[in-house]
Amino acid sequence: MDDEQTPVPREREQPSAPQGEEREERGEQAQEPRPGPSPEQPPAPERPPLLRRLFLSRTALAVTAAGLVGALLGAGAVAWRTDTLPLLGPAPCWDSLSDRTMSDLFGDRRTKTEEQSLHANPRGWEASYGQCRITSYKDDNPRRQVTLRVHQLDGLRGTDAHEWPQEFLAGGMVSLGDGLPGMTSSSRAWLALPQSCTGRDKFTGPTVVDIGMGLAGLDDGSEYDRRDRAALTRAVVEATNGVIREFGCSGTYRIPRALPALVDRQDTKPHAFCGVKGLTVPAAYRKDLSRTRVSDDAGPARICEANGGYEPIVRMTTVTDPALTEIFSRGARKAGLPVKGSKGVGRLDGSRAVYRASCQTGPVIFMVEQLEQPTGEGFDLTRELLPGYVAAEAERIGCGPEKVTLPSA
């Protein structure tokens, strides 16, 4: 079978922004979305500025081009040749990102956009549609880079069960709220496309638009984080609406009216570990797990990270969104030693334990990961924490009582 190449990115330059870290991420491609009923249709998003609307009109472009040439020659021909005016051409990333969002992300620095058209990968087994990358420059030096990807999360082979959750289901994430199926932080955000637009097969997760800026998890609760989170949130919603249009579906998502507070690190409560009543930290680990960071519990997942310094040692995740639980299907059934439970099944695989329970609301994933080695010796945090975590969390979300039995050591 011939390997067909990803469509050549379209490059475009325009003004852009503040300092930030670079990050390059590859875009993959997947199955064609199936048309279906439209998503909920709230009020239409804000309209683009008048001058942009005029330039997006072919008639207006033809009428005004001659006049613009004269004006540009007077203002400086370089701007015309390098396409640095934001008025010219469609908005970045599938004609979706507004001037306000670009300004919030990049300020007034020059930007270059590399954009792939959204097509399914012809090979069929790589469930990815394309990506858009925007880099800002100070003089000729890159300063900040934002990457948007459109892809379907995989559960059949488990390819999205590890790296994607590390970035997009981390302790600093909060729910988007307002019924939006996604999460956000100051460095990462994601939003699922409506299943009525994309369809979904068994063992596949949702098709998502995700956005990354700089290194994941480098947030300290500052006002800069608050502004970056607001900008990423607006960008991921606008981009998702653009993708919905590109896929031929109708309806739009609203920009969230308000986001939960930034996630801060707190002292661990030994008998309410990660804010879960009845979940106890084993005495031997209390020094190593003295600080916790817990996302809000109103979204698709609730995440708790615990440590004694900055890097998390343990991450415990509860995924309640039925579509999102599918990306952990293989981990709950295939890898490692079997874990038995009263309402589900799971697996224990070294530093990771995944348990899938059948609750009244649908499947729920309970996952415990040991990310770093604590200072002590001879203990296994996943084995120590999983039974108590499943029992206490199941009770908290109304899925209890739930009891798991670990395999023999």
Side-chain angles (χ1 to χ4, degrees):
M1 180 183 300
D2 293 336
D3 243 6
E4 295 192 28
Q5 299 296 317
T6 304
V8 178
R10 305 194 301 270
E11 296 191 2
R12 177 168 64 253
E13 293 191 357
Q14 66 187 53
S16 98
Q19 186 169 356
E21 297 88 358
E22 291 186 70
R23 178 180 180 82
E24 296 190 6
E25 297 172 292
R26 67 186 182 88
E28 302 171 350
Q29 304 187 346
Q31 303 171 0
E32 287 286 357
R34 297 191 294 271
S38 302
E40 293 292 327
Q41 296 196 38
E46 62 184 38
R47 300 179 70 192
L50 174 61
L51 287 177
R52 169 168 282 168
R53 296 201 306 272
L54 288 174
F55 275 98
L56 291 178
S57 163
R58 295 181 180 178
T59 303
L61 183 61
V63 171
T64 57
L68 261 180
V69 169
L72 286 166
L73 289 175
V78 173
W80 176 262
R81 291 198 300 267
T82 59
D83 191 19
T84 59
L85 289 181
L87 302 175
L88 299 178
C93 301
W94 315 293
D95 196 18
S96 66
L97 299 187
S98 66
D99 290 343
R100 172 181 171 180
T101 296
M102 291 295 290
S103 177
D104 288 348
L105 286 171
F106 304 108
D108 59 358
R109 286 185 181 151
R110 176 176 64 90
T111 61
K112 181 173 73 173
T113 298
E114 301 167 274
E115 177 182 314
Q116 292 176 328
S117 58
L118 297 175
H119 295 292
N121 192 309
R123 292 182 295 181
W125 60 79
E126 293 183 6
S128 185
Y129 295 97
Q131 74 172 14
C132 177
R133 185 169 58 196
I134 308 172
T135 308
S136 68
Y137 293 84
K138 182 178 180 181
D139 299 324
D140 291 328
N141 300 313
R143 306 303 294 178
R144 167 170 281 193
Q145 189 171 88
V146 167
T147 302
L148 282 147
R149 300 179 302 171
V150 185
H151 57 126
Q152 187 178 59
L153 297 175
D154 165 62
L156 182 61
R157 296 176 304 279
T159 55
D160 288 314
H162 290 269
E163 291 186 10
W164 192 85
Q166 286 178 12
E167 294 191 45
F168 295 96
L169 293 181
M173 308 291 291
V174 297
S175 62
L176 291 172
D178 291 345
L180 297 177
M183 303 186 78
T184 186
S185 73
S186 60
S187 62
R188 296 292 184 273
W190 65 272
L191 181 56
L193 290 159
Q195 291 183 38
S196 59
C197 177
T198 62
R200 189 172 70 85
D201 297 324
K202 190 176 182 181
F203 300 122
T204 61
T207 300
V208 300
V209 178
D210 61 39
I211 183 170
M213 179 172 68
L215 297 176
L218 291 183
D219 51 323
D220 56 12
S222 68
E223 185 58 33
Y224 293 107
D225 288 337
R226 192 181 309 278
R227 291 200 295 264
D228 283 346
R229 187 180 70 168
L232 285 180
T233 300
R234 177 175 285 273
V236 78
V237 174
E238 289 180 345
T240 302
N241 288 336
V243 174
I244 290 172
R245 292 193 301 269
E246 288 281 320
F247 281 0
C249 302
S250 59
T252 57
Y253 285 134
R254 285 191 180 100
I255 305 294
R257 291 166 292 185
L259 294 172
L262 293 171
V263 181
D264 199 8
R265 292 168 177 82
Q266 306 287 339
D267 290 339
T268 296
K269 297 179 180 179
H271 300 291
F273 188 32
C274 291
V276 181
K277 185 178 179 180
L279 181 58
T280 302
V281 183
Y285 316 140
R286 289 181 184 175
K287 182 178 178 180
D288 292 302
L289 306 178
S290 61
R291 302 280 286 171
T292 55
R293 183 169 69 158
V294 186
S295 69
D296 70 319
D297 56 6
R302 183 182 191 267
I303 307 106
C304 173
E305 293 173 344
N307 55 17
Y310 187 82
E311 292 295 330
I313 292 173
V314 169
R315 178 183 296 131
M316 297 190 293
T317 307
T318 303
V319 183
T320 54
D321 179 84
L324 195 59
T325 64
E326 290 297 336
I327 70 174
F328 303 102
S329 294
R330 186 178 181 85
R333 292 187 172 96
K334 297 290 186 180
L337 300 172
V339 173
K340 298 179 180 179
S342 52
K343 296 180 183 177
V345 296
R347 292 277 166 166
L348 179 64
D349 184 16
S351 61
R352 193 182 216 206
V354 181
Y355 181 79
R356 180 185 174 102
S358 298
C359 299
Q360 298 90 326
T361 56
V364 174
I365 288 290
F366 302 94
M367 183 167 62
V368 178
E369 300 170 281
Q370 181 175 326
L371 307 175
E372 296 287 345
Q373 180 69 34
T375 55
E377 296 180 1
F379 49 78
D380 184 345
L381 285 173
T382 54
R383 180 179 287 271
E384 290 273 356
L385 292 173
L386 181 67
Y389 178 64
V390 172
E393 267 289 82
E395 194 68 31
R396 185 186 68 83
I397 65 174
C399 185
E402 184 71 19
K403 181 180 179 179
V404 300
T405 303
L406 297 176
S408 300

